[in-house]
Amino acid sequence: GAVVSQHPSWVICKSGTSVKIECRSLDFQATTMFWYRQFPKQSLMLMATSNEGSKATYEQGVEKDKFLINHASLTLSTLTVTSAHPEDSSFYICSARESGETNEKLFFGSGTQLSVL
Amino acid sequence: GDSVTQMEGPVTLSEEAFLTINCTYTATGYPSLFWYVQYPGEGLQLLLKATKADDKGSNKGFEATYRKETTSFHLEKGSVQVSDSAVYFCALSGSRLTFGEGTQLTVNP
């Protein structure tokens, strides 16, 4: 089946530094990718939707200058948390699907646990 | 807006026990409903789905029925195994994919 690879699985960084998370589709062309954030014992919250070659669409309340999303190719999207602070500590998950596919064909990465000291 | 409410966890069962994880939803229109499973260290995987009222989704011994009258999509399995230990997410597909909070299931031998 389709695989989405997300790296790193976990990262610890100092406050004020930037962290990049990668999401790759390994065997299909991911025209659309989604980035979610999950707090402990809470649901996945959609942060943004990115389409290859276009600017990402951010959900209300998500700072686009804080969470930079790049989707420059059909197999790679990146989320950069800029000037990270302890409140950015969370579990980040990406998902991807091909053009024309519904959410039934949405594939997820294994997530990245970010801890900001 | 759309929302999904899941049974609070964690849930701990013995092998071969009966499993129910409750899920109720609020949505406009007629969304599709899903259950996803996340095994340790892996991404979410689609477990089963139902696209209209009274549809029953099933996979790997798990079942869930789309109940429009009670706006529910409870997940059931008659006899759980240790390998079923995972986090289970209920979700609906409206204008976007909306998830419940997830329920951690641990099955002991």
Side-chain angles (χ1 to χ4, degrees), chain A residues 53-97:
Chain A
S54 302
K55 287 186 177 180
T57 301
Y58 289 80
E59 296 299 305
Q60 190 173 8
V62 178
E63 299 176 60
K64 62 180 181 181
D65 295 330
K66 173 83 172 167
F67 299 99
L68 300 179
I69 292 172
N70 182 281
H71 191 171
S73 80
L74 285 170
T75 59
L76 174 64
S77 177
T78 60
L79 167 67
T80 302
V81 183
T82 61
S83 186
H85 290 285
E87 58 266 29
D88 299 323
S89 298
S90 190
F91 193 62
Y92 294 87
I93 302 174
C94 71
S95 65
R97 69 177 186 219

Side-chain angles (χ1 to χ4, degrees), chain A residues 11-13 15 20 24-25 31 33 37 40 71 84 105 117:
Chain A
V11 58
I12 302 172
C13 70
S15 186
K20 180 182 285 188
R24 294 180 184 273
S25 58
T31 49
M33 287 188 169
R37 182 173 180 176
H71 191 171
K105 296 290 182 68
L117 304 179

